[in-house]
Amino acid sequence: MSGTHDSGSADIGGTKSSGTDGDGTKDGDGTKEGGGTKDLGAPGRGSAPRGAGRAGTARRTATRTGQYAALLGYLVFLAFPFLWLISTAFKPPRELGSMHPTWIPEAPTLENFHQAFAQQPLPAAAGNSLLAAAVSALIAIVLATPMAYVLGRYRNRLSRAATGWVVISQAFPLVLVIIPLFLILKGLHLVDSRIGLIMVYVVWSLPFALWMLTGYVRSVPPELEEAAAVDGAGRLRTLVSVTAPLLAPGIVATALFSFITAWNEFFFALVLLKSPEKQTLPVVLTHFLGTEGVADLGPLAAAALLATLPSLLLFAVVQRRITGGMLAGAVKS
């Protein structure tokens, strides 16, 4: 009688035979073969993606930190002149002539503001600037809005040529146009006139307003107007009830930039206005410079601070609409 069994039986030494190679069977080493085979020497599958993810997160964090640092530096760059202007406006003459200037005045005073109002007609000049800036911005918006709608909705060679000419016109320097502009206004008897200055501001700000509003018009989906037409609304009703509310942020932003441009404008007002009672605020600020070019620094800083406040207040009041208008104009359908 033999001591061995047939195929499939256990060996005398207690070891299993290899048997068949089907799924889930084990070989002599005790490892699985077939569809259930597990490679013991392979590294974990999640190790490489986790490392790549950590590296990507580190890069994004470094990029964002750099962006915030650049933004902080830009804000400091912008805020430095304004903060120094505030400090100078409240310093007495002794501190203004000090060899070691300080940020915070040691003895703050309002004397510079009193001298500024006593030396120059600041309220009248501010009124002239406000009138010219507000009226010119309003007229520019009224003229630019329908023109921008036509350029934004009807795209053809003519509209593209008009848009290109608008952009090119912004590259013309003021010195290039001031002489023919002066001759035209002289022929119309509008030199040394507030009306003539307003007309110049309208013409000068109209291309910029038209270019901005065209982008806002293109960001409004035309399907909204088509839906209103299907519901029975006419062209005028569609423009007033559908398109105009969507363009409101862009209109506000464009009007504000037109206003600020006219408020701060100096060259046209200097050349076209001769009467002291008609001069605008930027021109009056130059009167704080002496005959030899020496500035009366305290009153000049006080007057410049007062001239800056309207712009800051307007931006603070309508900053949300400005942001919405910029984002709307940046998206084109």
Side-chain angles (χ1 to χ4, degrees):
M1 184 171 164
S2 65
T4 59
H5 293 278
D6 293 332
S7 174
S9 60
D11 196 314
I12 293 177
T15 59
K16 289 185 180 180
S17 61
S18 59
T20 61
D21 293 336
D23 293 347
T25 60
K26 296 182 179 180
D27 60 5
D29 295 334
T31 57
K32 289 185 178 181
E33 292 181 339
T37 301
K38 183 177 180 181
D39 189 0
L40 297 178
R45 299 177 99 185
S47 59
R50 280 198 298 269
R54 286 193 294 268
T57 303
R59 284 195 298 269
R60 287 193 296 270
T61 302
T63 301
R64 183 168 298 179
T65 302
Q67 291 174 347
Y68 283 133
L71 179 61
L72 179 61
Y74 183 64
L75 291 177
V76 172
F77 174 77
L78 291 180
F80 175 78
F82 182 67
L83 295 178
W84 191 259
L85 180 65
I86 296 176
S87 176
T88 305
F90 289 95
K91 286 182 178 179
R94 179 180 59 83
E95 293 187 35
L96 291 175
S98 174
M99 297 297 295
H100 304 284
T102 58
W103 276 98
I104 301 177
E106 298 177 359
T109 179
L110 296 177
E111 184 62 26
N112 293 326
F113 295 90
H114 296 159
Q115 293 183 14
F117 281 98
Q119 295 177 15
Q120 301 297 334
L122 295 181
N128 293 332
S129 294
L130 180 62
L131 176 65
V135 175
S136 62
L138 179 61
I139 295 176
I141 290 299
V142 171
L143 294 177
T145 302
M147 296 167 62
Y149 182 82
V150 173
L151 292 178
R153 281 290 180 262
Y154 305 100
R155 302 185 185 182
N156 48 39
R157 292 183 178 179
L158 181 60
S159 64
R160 287 193 293 268
T163 304
W165 173 251
V166 167
V167 175
I168 293 175
S169 66
Q170 297 299 295
F172 292 161
L174 298 180
V175 179
L176 184 65
V177 300
I178 189 60
I179 294 179
L181 186 61
F182 182 86
L183 295 177
I184 292 173
L185 292 178
K186 183 178 179 181
L188 297 175
H189 303 286
L190 291 177
V191 176
D192 196 20
S193 168
R194 296 185 182 93
I195 298 177
L197 184 64
I198 291 173
M199 291 175 59
V200 171
Y201 285 168
V202 170
V203 174
W204 188 251
S205 62
L206 187 60
F208 177 75
L210 181 60
W211 179 66
M212 286 188 66
L213 287 175
T214 301
Y216 298 135
V217 170
R218 290 175 179 173
S219 68
V220 177
E223 291 79 10
L224 297 176
E225 299 177 359
E226 295 172 0
V230 171
D231 291 338
R235 171 63 67 179
L236 182 60
R237 178 66 180 274
T238 301
L239 294 177
V240 174
S241 302
V242 177
T243 308
L246 296 176
L247 289 178
I251 292 175
V252 172
T254 306
L256 182 58
F257 279 106
S258 300
F259 177 88
I260 297 301
T261 300
W263 176 269
N264 295 327
E265 200 283 322
F266 169 76
F267 188 66
F268 286 137
L270 177 66
V271 174
L272 300 178
L273 298 178
K274 300 300 181 183
S275 301
E277 66 274 8
K278 297 179 182 179
Q279 291 178 342
T280 58
L281 195 55
V283 177
V284 172
L285 290 179
T286 62
H287 296 169
F288 288 99
L289 298 176
T291 55
E292 297 180 357
V294 179
D296 196 354
L297 193 56
L300 176 59
L305 178 61
L306 294 177
T308 307
L309 291 180
S311 303
L312 297 179
L313 293 177
L314 280 177
F315 273 109
V317 170
V318 297
Q319 69 175 36
R320 291 186 178 181
R321 285 193 175 273
I322 292 175
T323 304
M326 286 181 174
L327 294 178
V331 179
K332 296 183 180 180
S333 59

